[in-house]
Amino acid sequence: MATKLQDSGPSSLPNEDSKPERLPITVTKPIPYTFDLGNLLCNDSNPLPDKPTDSQLASTARDCAQALINQLLTTCPITSHPTDGVLLTLPPPTTLLPREKPLPAEKQQTKWEKFAKKKGIKDKKRGEGKMVYEEETGEWVPKWGYKGRNKDGEGDWIVEVDEKKEREVEAKGDGSTVRGEGRRERKEKVRRNERKQRSNERGQRKAGVVK
């Protein structure tokens, strides 16, 4: 955005003598600064006057900032990236900062995790992924969710009917059909898992692990 300056006469021109003095970029103190560049920290051990003025405090803060910038530019590697521009890599921090919140309590194991640990059962789901290969179609499909493998047969236009199972479904008298049994069983399995999850969470709250 361009700003147009209006000419208000010779009296409005700044005087060369009124220009602010450029402070030196080198800072020398009786007690050298110490730095933690990973935290962008500059420690100044030089004592302040008994009743420092605002200008003295501002000058001290300016010297610390200048010394920190000098240290960063002279010790940290500087690289140039075509899209990100000029990058300065900071070293690892050396000052331990206090935590804002206490350490989280150790999560209590669920009944299944205790049983699996006792029997030496390993969790295979972490390495299997969310997709499975279908040899019939030659495509990778999700295991669950939209068009998931767990919904196989629900969209078939014709299904094989077990006469015994059909009589059991019709005996319920709720209008259900054999075609919908697979979907109902899948949804009931989801509800059972949700009930088990809520039961585990209640047990963890009683033990004081989950707040």
Side-chain angles (χ1 to χ4, degrees):
M1 181 180 65
T3 303
K4 184 178 180 181
L5 298 177
Q6 295 181 352
D7 187 7
S8 57
S11 60
S12 63
L13 295 176
N15 189 354
E16 294 183 358
D17 297 336
S18 63
K19 290 183 180 180
E21 180 183 0
R22 296 188 61 179
L23 300 175
I25 60 174
T26 57
V27 180
T28 304
K29 293 288 184 177
I31 303 176
Y33 294 122
T34 57
F35 301 94
D36 179 6
L37 299 182
N39 287 321
L40 297 178
L41 175 65
C42 174
N43 295 311
D44 185 5
S45 300
N46 294 279
L48 290 171
D50 293 337
K51 295 182 180 179
T53 62
D54 290 343
S55 60
Q56 288 174 329
L57 293 175
S59 176
T60 302
R62 179 265 166 196
D63 290 344
C64 285
Q66 182 65 62
L68 178 61
I69 294 172
N70 295 344
Q71 193 74 9
L72 290 171
L73 296 178
T74 54
T75 59
C76 297
I78 300 175
T79 57
S80 179
H81 194 273
T83 57
D84 297 334
V86 180
L87 302 177
L88 187 143
T89 304
L90 297 177
T94 58
T95 303
L96 297 178
L97 300 179
R99 289 180 58 90
E100 180 185 359
K101 295 179 175 62
L103 288 173
E106 185 177 356
K107 186 177 180 181
Q108 187 180 12
Q109 289 183 327
T110 62
K111 293 180 180 179
W112 163 250
E113 289 174 341
K114 293 178 181 178
F115 175 79
K117 184 178 180 180
K118 182 179 179 181
K119 297 295 183 180
I121 302 174
K122 296 183 179 179
D123 188 4
K124 297 181 179 180
K125 293 182 179 180
R126 295 183 181 274
E128 290 179 354
K130 298 181 180 180
M131 306 294 287
V132 63
Y133 184 74
E134 254 188 1
E135 295 183 358
E136 296 83 1
T137 60
E139 298 178 350
W140 288 89
V141 296
K143 293 182 179 179
W144 312 279
Y146 179 65
K147 294 184 178 181
R149 188 70 179 272
N150 62 328
K151 298 180 182 178
D152 281 352
E154 292 185 9
D156 295 343
W157 64 276
I158 186 171
V159 294
E160 184 178 357
V161 176
D162 186 349
E163 294 182 2
K164 182 180 178 181
K165 189 172 183 179
E166 184 180 16
R167 288 194 298 270
E168 292 175 355
V169 172
E170 291 177 353
K172 295 179 180 178
D174 55 358
S176 58
T177 61
V178 176
R179 177 183 290 276
E181 279 300 300
R183 184 170 184 270
R184 279 189 291 274
E185 290 176 358
R186 177 170 55 83
K187 287 187 171 294
E188 180 59 29
K189 184 178 180 181
V190 172
R191 285 192 287 269
R192 284 198 302 269
N193 290 335
E194 290 176 350
R195 287 195 294 268
K196 291 180 181 178
Q197 182 180 359
R198 289 193 293 269
S199 176
N200 289 333
E201 290 176 353
R202 286 194 296 269
Q204 290 176 354
R205 282 195 292 268
K206 290 180 180 179
V209 177
V210 179
K211 294 182 179 180

